[in-house]
Amino acid sequence: MTTAIRPQPGPARDYHFPSFERRLLSNGLTLLVAPAHNLPVVTLLAIVDAGAVAEPSGQEGVAHLAALALNEGTPKYDGEALTEYLERLGTSVGGSAGWDSASLAMTVLRDNLENAFVHFAEILVTPTFPVAAIERLKGERIAELMQIESEPRELADEKFDEYIYDVTSRFRLPLGGSRQSVSNLTRDDVAEFHASRYQPSATTLIVVGDVDVAEVERMVSGELDGWNGSIVLSSKANDKPVRTSRAVRIVRKEDAPQSEVRIGHVGVPRTHPDYFSITVMNAVLGGLFSSRINLNLREAHGYTYGASSSFDWRREAGPFVIGTAVASDVTVPAIQETLKEIDRMRAEPIGESELSLATSYLEGVFPIRYETTAAIAAALATLVIYDLPSDWYDCYRAHMGAVTVKDVLAAARAYVHPDSLQIVIVGDAGAIREPLEALAFGPVDVVNP
């Protein structure tokens, strides 16, 4: 028996995303219910149009802070009592905020659902935002930012966004806010943001698990009927690039033995009609372990332990970025090889075997992602946030499998722009500045963290 021939994948098994129903309640709240009776658990996920792009200018980080502080107390219970009560029900509740939305999530045993939902609703609608809790969370965020300044990988991600977006773009600053903006936030800022954005007309409640639609509608209506209010949603981050010609920024990290490298530019919005072609193209370029960039930098040249590329999907255009870490003395050769792979991707069609490998992987892992109630709820949240059609997941594999070699080449030429690439490197400026200037890629700028 030989192991030299890679076994071919068999035909993909049929898969259907769990069915769900959508209801609009009298107060404007949208309800999505996906019954799944294989386990006696239920996931609740509230999606609110209260992400970072909705923040008032100068209050960057308030969306993140408001989401984190939701469970710090209600008029009936302080944060400690809430935590203890929910622990007795075998659950916990957590808030978070992304660019386009905020969320509150809980997974609970079926038998404890109604008791737990009473507190879930209180936390979502009537948080008290105690001053002490807000100050504690601000302190944690500022400490996190101080830690990022000493951590090259996260610092490179943060500085890359700052370097590619227009000076007025919200995407230019970290999702959780900067040290200055977070320091200036007050408890009243947090409460006002919640009051203005956490409205039923801006909220979708997703319920997945051992339930039926009628009982969920009855439970939710009974608890949230008194929650009223509406807002006109108009949130824009401004996804314009700060420049359209090549440039290099070195973020000084003296005596660093290696460079954290980011190469890319502003990408495309999540709802772009060429989403599937772009996804397959990126998988071949740098999205998989077997991608061209990883095989080149890691396997052929031994420059790195790993290199990858990605499109960060948002309602507006998120970054397209290639990232890796390499030793200081091979920083420029690694960049040159990456640029070669970008040019090759745009110059000629990929092989049929590369296409097959990428689409087989993307189709194959798809059903595995949705094996828990929490994962199904998160998938439904994606439909809500990006206003995707209800059958999007059932059609996913057909769309992915329909991508052709010609589509991939067209996507590379249309959405990867060599003349607009920006390079950000966190590393030893003394060791890498001169070779980078000799590369003549573009003007080289050196800044402090």
Side-chain angles (χ1 to χ4, degrees), residues 209-252:
D210 190 14
V211 293
D212 63 57
V213 179
E215 74 165 316
V216 171
E217 185 171 4
R218 185 169 58 251
M219 178 185 74
V220 174
S221 296
E223 205 59 46
L224 293 178
D225 254 0
W227 187 28
N228 290 298
S230 63
I231 56 173
V232 177
L233 300 175
S234 58
S235 303
K236 288 289 183 182
N238 178 11
D239 58 7
K240 298 291 184 293
V242 71
R243 66 182 67 77
T244 54
S245 58
R246 291 179 169 191
V248 181
R249 169 168 288 184
I250 302 171
V251 182
R252 187 179 281 115

Side-chain angles (χ1 to χ4, degrees), residues 348-417:
E348 58 192 37
I350 64 172
E352 288 288 351
S353 61
E354 287 181 293
L355 177 70
S356 173
L357 188 62
T359 55
S360 296
Y361 175 82
L362 292 167
E363 293 177 53
V365 300
F366 178 73
I368 301 171
R369 295 174 181 166
Y370 309 118
E371 292 187 334
T372 67
T373 55
I376 295 167
L380 291 173
T382 298
L383 296 187
V384 172
I385 295 167
Y386 302 112
D387 196 23
L388 299 174
S390 296
D391 63 351
W392 195 88
Y393 290 108
D394 278 332
C395 298
Y396 173 92
R397 293 205 292 180
H399 287 306
M400 196 62 77
V403 175
T404 66
V405 166
K406 186 178 177 182
D407 294 333
V408 171
L409 182 61
R413 290 176 172 172
Y415 309 116
V416 178
H417 309 294

